[in-house]
Amino acid sequence: MDTIEQFLKWVKESDNIVFFGGAGVSTESGIPDFRSVDGLYNQQYKYPPETILSHSFYRNNPEEFYRFYRNKMLCLDAKPNITHYKLAELEKAGKLKGIVTQNIDGLHQKAGSKNVMELHGSVLRNYCERCGEFMSAEDVLHSEGIPTCPVCGGPVKPDVVLYEEGLNQKTLQDAVFYISHADMLIIGGTSLAVYPAAGLIDYYRGNKLVLINKSATPKDGRADLLIQDGLGNVFSKIEL
Ligand SMILES: [Zn+2]
């Protein structure tokens, strides 16, 4: 039995799948992994993305933060791809219990998924730092400079976990709960390089850990099944 067949067999047998995904899930929707710095980027910004997307940079240079954020992080026209849709179908069929994601694009919900644990927050939620008023991503996109609250005029901050900021504890606890109770854990599109998110897979106690990634990761040895292929190629083969 080849690896894809084994994968499909486990998916068929399981009714308690949890998916843990990273940037690679969304690259097929045209959302770039900001860690893969391109030439265009180099010409436009004086700082690396990790610097711009840090808490201290946001505090000290909010206008430059928002220039990068609008241009590189707010991909509001992006559409879910086959992986997002298949995961939503698996949930609807009662086979998948939750999605833990490092992505902030909201594409899983757009595809119809309900139980999505967003470790790094979401660009679709933005709140006034003074009064807590909600602002949509469209309004942030179409504002200029630092977006301000329509109610009190305070600065609006995206509900996105920046570098130097801690993860939301409730989201983290939920992720640990679902992963530790999962029968099958599918990990895809992540290099498993960023902690504490990468440490989450240590909570998995089953024997169906599937790792899908085009390139090698530091956790390949942990996998019960290693599939070195694109996520779309693999998920498109799931039939429900
Ligand atoms: Zn306000």
Side-chain angles (χ1 to χ4, degrees):
M1 197 182 294
D2 72 12
T3 55
I4 297 280
E5 281 173 44
Q6 180 68 69
F7 171 74
L8 295 173
K9 182 169 179 284
W10 282 353
V11 168
K12 200 169 185 182
E13 288 167 358
S14 182
D15 62 357
N16 185 2
I17 303 170
V18 170
F19 179 80
F20 178 86
V25 177
S26 291
T27 45
E28 289 176 33
S29 290
I31 294 183
D33 182 353
F34 68 82
R35 285 184 193 85
S36 56
V37 174
D38 58 34
L40 194 64
Y41 168 85
N42 278 324
Q43 293 164 13
Q44 285 179 335
Y45 300 93
K46 278 187 283 183
Y47 308 90
E50 285 83 355
T51 300
I52 299 177
L53 296 172
S54 69
H55 183 81
S56 50
F57 192 90
Y58 170 77
R59 286 283 169 240
N60 297 327
N61 307 280
E63 289 185 7
E64 182 66 1
F65 169 88
Y66 270 111
R67 188 167 77 90
F68 177 85
Y69 183 78
R70 285 192 189 91
N71 288 338
K72 292 284 175 180
M73 308 300 286
L74 281 180
C75 309
L76 301 181
D77 296 332
K79 296 193 170 44
N81 61 56
I82 187 75
T83 303
H84 296 107
Y85 285 120
K86 286 291 179 183
L87 286 166
E89 278 180 43
L90 286 168
E91 183 184 47
K92 212 174 170 194
K95 299 177 73 61
L96 182 129
K97 298 305 180 199
I99 293 171
V100 180
T101 182
Q102 296 173 293
N103 298 338
I104 57 174
D105 49 45
L107 288 180
H108 285 296
Q109 291 90 336
K110 245 187 212 177
S113 287
K114 303 290 180 215
N115 190 21
V116 185
M117 290 153 269
E118 297 172 305
L119 293 173
H120 296 161
S122 172
V123 297
L124 302 183
R125 295 187 298 268
N126 307 274
Y127 298 101
C128 170
E129 292 204 80
R130 203 177 289 161
C131 77
E133 178 75 7
F134 174 86
M135 187 185 249
S136 73
E138 285 79 9
D139 285 347
V140 170
L141 182 66
H142 296 119
S143 64
E144 281 177 32
I146 305 160
T148 51
C149 172
V151 176
C152 78
V156 170
K157 186 175 187 287
D159 186 13
V160 165
V161 180
L162 302 175
Y163 288 98
E164 305 162 358
E165 293 179 343
L167 301 190
N168 179 294
Q169 286 307 302
K170 169 77 168 65
T171 310
L172 202 52
Q173 282 166 13
D174 287 347
V176 167
F177 177 86
Y178 279 95
I179 289 173
S180 62
H181 289 84
D183 161 53
M184 178 178 187
L185 177 64
I186 307 171
I187 302 173
T190 168
S191 58
L192 289 171
V194 183
Y195 276 83
L200 278 173
I201 77 166
D202 295 332
Y203 288 95
Y204 176 65
R205 296 179 290 202
N207 56 5
K208 292 176 191 163
L209 198 162
V210 183
L211 200 52
I212 308 170
N213 217 46
K214 277 182 184 166
S215 49
T217 81
K219 299 278 186 181
D220 283 0
R222 272 281 274 130
D224 298 300
L225 187 64
L226 186 64
I227 305 177
Q228 290 192 314
D229 199 349
L231 278 168
N233 279 342
V234 178
F235 274 84
S236 61
K237 297 195 172 72
I238 296 176
E239 282 171 26
L240 290 161

